[in-house]
Amino acid sequence: MASTADPAKRHLLYTHHRQAGVDFSDGDYWLVINDHAGSAGSSSLIYRRKAPLVYEQGTDLHVAAWKFFDQRNGLKTPRKGKIEEDYDKSVGLEANPFDHRYVDAVCWVDDSPPTLLIRLHGYKDDHSHTNWLCLYDVRAKSFSTNFDAHNK
């Protein structure tokens, strides 16, 4: 990051290995980095501004967003016909049907409270997939599908 007033003032916020993008909230109080680190998954990392050019990393939405998806879609039992991966078990996603899971923060939809529109995309080898949207309230650290509250 670089100061617009003094470009010599710089601060490295994040490094990535493949593809990443950033979206700032109104007023630059929050930012989210969508990191597409590999072919089987991605992360959406939320940061809160502490001082000019200084942001503190908070939540990675990947696991929490997919847990919300599983809960909202009634997925409770382990997948059938697939060997459960140790990672899925360790993070509580053993009921999730997808081998490849991606999360993207699409945009900031509100600044009071700061809220992100989240897109989940998942598929498995038989090419079944989903595109599913939800909202994430950054302050409350909670997900919802109450889009009416933001369609004013």
Side-chain angles (χ1 to χ4, degrees), residues 2-146:
S3 168
T4 55
D6 182 359
K9 292 183 181 177
R10 295 177 176 271
H11 176 75
L12 179 63
L13 178 66
Y14 187 78
T15 60
H16 63 89
H17 299 290
R18 190 171 180 179
Q19 175 188 355
V22 65
D23 192 12
F24 288 87
S25 69
D26 287 343
D28 299 338
Y29 296 108
W30 300 89
L31 67 84
V32 62
I33 295 175
N34 289 312
D35 186 354
H36 295 266
S39 63
S42 65
S43 297
S44 288
L45 306 161
I46 297 175
Y47 288 78
R48 183 175 60 96
R49 187 173 72 189
K50 300 292 281 179
L53 299 182
V54 178
Y55 284 80
E56 174 181 68
Q57 183 179 339
T59 306
D60 178 352
L61 297 178
H62 178 82
V63 171
W66 280 106
K67 282 184 178 181
F68 181 68
F69 170 87
D70 289 355
Q71 179 249 336
R72 291 288 296 178
N73 289 282
L75 301 175
K76 297 177 185 172
T77 59
R79 298 177 282 217
K80 294 183 174 129
K82 177 174 169 36
I83 298 171
E84 295 173 21
E85 298 176 24
D86 290 339
Y87 173 77
D88 286 357
K89 286 171 115 175
S90 72
V91 297
L93 291 174
E94 60 270 10
N96 189 276
F98 302 116
D99 294 338
H100 296 73
R101 293 183 289 262
Y102 306 93
V103 58
D104 285 297
V106 176
C107 64
W108 295 92
V109 296
D110 208 340
D111 59 347
S112 184
T115 304
L116 285 163
L117 176 63
I118 303 297
R119 175 184 170 257
L120 299 177
H121 172 74
Y123 66 92
K124 58 184 176 180
D125 291 335
D126 68 0
H127 303 292
S128 62
H129 68 280
T130 190
N131 281 301
W132 197 77
L133 300 173
C134 64
L135 299 165
Y136 181 73
D137 180 329
V138 175
R139 285 198 186 121
K141 297 182 179 179
S142 64
F143 293 92
S144 80
T145 54
N146 183 6

